[in-house]
Amino acid sequence: MIVTSAVRHAAAGTTALLLVLPVPAAAASSVTSAPALGVGTAPAEPTPPARQYVDPALLDRTGTQVQVLPGAPAAPSVSALSWVVADASTGEVLAARNAHRKLPPASTLKTLFALTALPHHQPSEQHTVADSELTGIGDGSSLVGVKEGYTYKVSDLWNGVFLSSGNDAVHVLAAMNGGWDSMTRQMQEKARSLGARDTHVVSPDGYDAPGQVSSAYDLALFGRAGLQDPEFTRYCSTPYADFPAGAWSFGIANTNRLLTGEDGVAHYPGLIGIKNGYTSGAGYTLVSAARRGDRTLVVSVMNPQSGGGYAVYEEARELLDWGFRAAGRVRPVGSLLPERVKAPKTDGTRAVSVAHGGNAIGTDDADTRAGAAPGRETGHGAAPSGVSAGLPLALVGSACAAALLLWGRRRRAARRTD
């Protein structure tokens, strides 16, 4: 009876212990695990409907890149050395020519200057110009008429930058943001953070300088980024403004003829801006955006080879017209959105580098490098090998030994009593 009772208690205790223990790894075979990713396979992620798969290598090719679907209009043939047409909302590049060709940008580089410097000062902030802030302006630069000793609101200076392309206003704003050299470095960092790899900044105002280049791709990228900032958009779409000159003011007009409809260039309906430029080294350059219905397009045009000084506007008009007609009837040939360089790494899976649309371009397989089998779980929650299976057996043995010991003690006590 004593033996039977001891064994019964030992069995009950062992059962209770087994109920609170985790299921051993070996016994969990009924749980179906997700198949491990093979090398070069991207994680299964839903693709946002607004972003189609694009091959970024297409934009590295020379010549015109466009993928038309049945019924789409043919891409226009314009004389610019480089151009891009993109959807400002999705970032999809609808067509391009020599998108990454590095060329002098002229004053279109002021778009990058504005993206970098605009957030640092409120429009109502006032600043009195020092003589030192107007030194070093290049010969023949476009000027808005900033004078030393005069006090200006920051919004006045930005009107001078966007409307008159005033290099004097750029120099003052750069001085307010750390100085010329610091501004150059800040702009370079901003370009890289946006994914603009073709731009090299030497002179923040866009004045011709050895080694200073950008590309139609980068300029379109800057334009699209600017449209996401209400202040940037307000300045670049302003056709006319008053500029202070002490006790009086004078009117200034935006030099983007597509916006104002001046000098024989017809106004483009729905135009938002953005920035035009010219230097002897760069020729004529332009970044513009327009809205039609619920669609906004951004185009960049660099150095037309025929048609005179206003050809850049007419070629931009032709590209915008084509873009609105072709939207939805072409496959994108690239994207202005930055590439996703790392997918989140989760337990038991490899981190995969992906390009636009989830296309795998590389893997980071730490488990394979360490000698583990591909796809094997080694993260948090996986039991160490051999521990979970052996632990319940050891507890059963211990419980039985304790029961036998108890039975022996009770038997000896009974004999002494007898």
Side-chain angles (χ1 to χ4, degrees):
M1 292 295 292
I2 296 175
V3 173
T4 303
S5 176
V7 171
R8 185 183 299 113
H9 285 295
T14 302
T15 301
L17 283 172
L18 290 173
L19 289 176
V20 300
L21 286 173
V23 177
S29 58
S30 60
V31 179
T32 302
S33 59
L37 290 173
V39 175
T41 303
E45 295 180 354
T47 302
R51 292 184 62 185
Q52 304 181 47
Y53 168 76
V54 295
D55 180 1
L58 288 175
L59 295 182
D60 292 326
R61 300 176 183 176
T62 58
T64 300
Q65 304 301 318
V66 61
Q67 299 186 101
V68 296
L69 299 174
S77 177
V78 297
S79 69
L81 295 179
S82 179
W83 55 265
V84 163
V85 181
D87 188 298
S89 298
T90 65
E92 292 173 349
V93 177
L94 306 184
R97 177 176 176 81
N98 302 329
H100 288 292
R101 181 172 177 175
K102 296 179 180 180
L103 296 166
S107 285
T108 52
L109 192 63
K110 290 181 172 76
T111 56
L112 177 60
F113 173 72
L115 290 173
T116 307
L118 255 176
H120 297 165
H121 298 275
Q122 294 297 319
S124 58
E125 181 181 336
Q126 295 191 343
H127 177 76
T128 301
V129 176
D131 180 67
S132 60
E133 296 171 347
L134 296 175
T135 59
I137 298 175
D139 294 337
S141 289
S142 54
L143 305 172
V144 66
V146 176
K147 302 294 183 183
E148 65 272 12
Y150 283 29
T151 299
Y152 301 90
K153 290 190 298 184
V154 167
S155 59
D156 294 326
L157 295 172
W158 281 116
N159 281 334
V161 171
F162 278 98
L163 277 67
S164 297
S165 202
N167 287 2
D168 47 356
V170 172
H171 273 253
V172 173
L173 286 165
M176 296 171 63
N177 286 276
W180 200 247
D181 292 339
S182 174
M183 195 74 246
T184 301
R185 290 191 297 271
Q186 292 177 52
M187 289 173 64
Q188 194 67 67
E189 292 170 1
K190 183 67 173 180
R192 294 296 177 266
S193 72
L194 292 171
R197 304 299 177 186
D198 306 321
T199 299
H200 180 63
V201 182
V202 179
S203 183
D205 54 8
Y207 193 80
D208 283 339
Q212 178 153 278
V213 291
S214 190
S215 68
Y217 177 90
D218 285 7
L219 293 179
L221 191 155
F222 299 152
R224 178 182 182 272
L227 294 179
Q228 299 175 48
D229 182 342
E231 283 190 45
F232 183 107
T233 305
R234 176 167 57 85
Y235 289 125
C236 79
S237 61
T238 299
Y240 304 98
D242 289 329
F243 193 80
W248 62 289
S249 63
F250 56 91
I252 57 175
N254 200 310
T255 55
N256 184 347
R257 274 77 172 182
L258 283 180
L259 183 65
T260 60
E262 293 186 350
D263 299 322
V265 178
H267 167 74
Y268 192 86
L271 198 84
I272 303 173
I274 296 172
K275 190 71 191 75
N276 57 310
Y278 171 80
T279 65
S280 57
Y284 291 90
T285 58
L286 177 67
V287 185
S288 272
R291 183 179 296 112
R292 186 173 295 176
D294 59 354
R295 188 179 299 278
T296 300
L297 298 181
V298 58
V299 302
S300 55
V301 182
M302 302 189 76
N303 201 350
Q305 298 298 288
S306 63
Y310 297 146
V312 70
Y313 300 110
E314 299 308 329
E315 294 192 2
R317 182 194 307 278
E318 194 172 351
L319 292 170
L320 283 168
D321 285 344
W322 174 84
F324 284 118
R325 293 197 309 271
R329 294 192 283 177
V330 295
R331 287 192 297 270
V333 295
S335 176
L336 300 179
L337 301 182
E339 293 184 2
R340 293 170 289 166
V341 295
K342 281 287 184 183
K345 189 168 183 177
T346 57
D347 296 335
T349 61
R350 287 180 288 277
V352 181
S353 299
V354 295
H356 300 299
N359 181 43
I361 60 175
T363 60
D364 180 13
D365 191 352
D367 294 341
T368 301
R369 287 196 304 270
R376 177 178 176 180
E377 285 203 0
T378 58
H380 177 71
S385 177
V387 174
S388 294
L391 182 59
L393 295 178
L395 289 174
V396 170
S398 298
C400 290
L404 291 174
L405 179 62
L406 177 62
W407 173 76
R409 287 181 177 176
R410 287 183 176 179
R411 186 175 179 82
R412 288 195 297 271
R415 286 176 178 176
R416 285 196 299 269
T417 303
D418 293 343

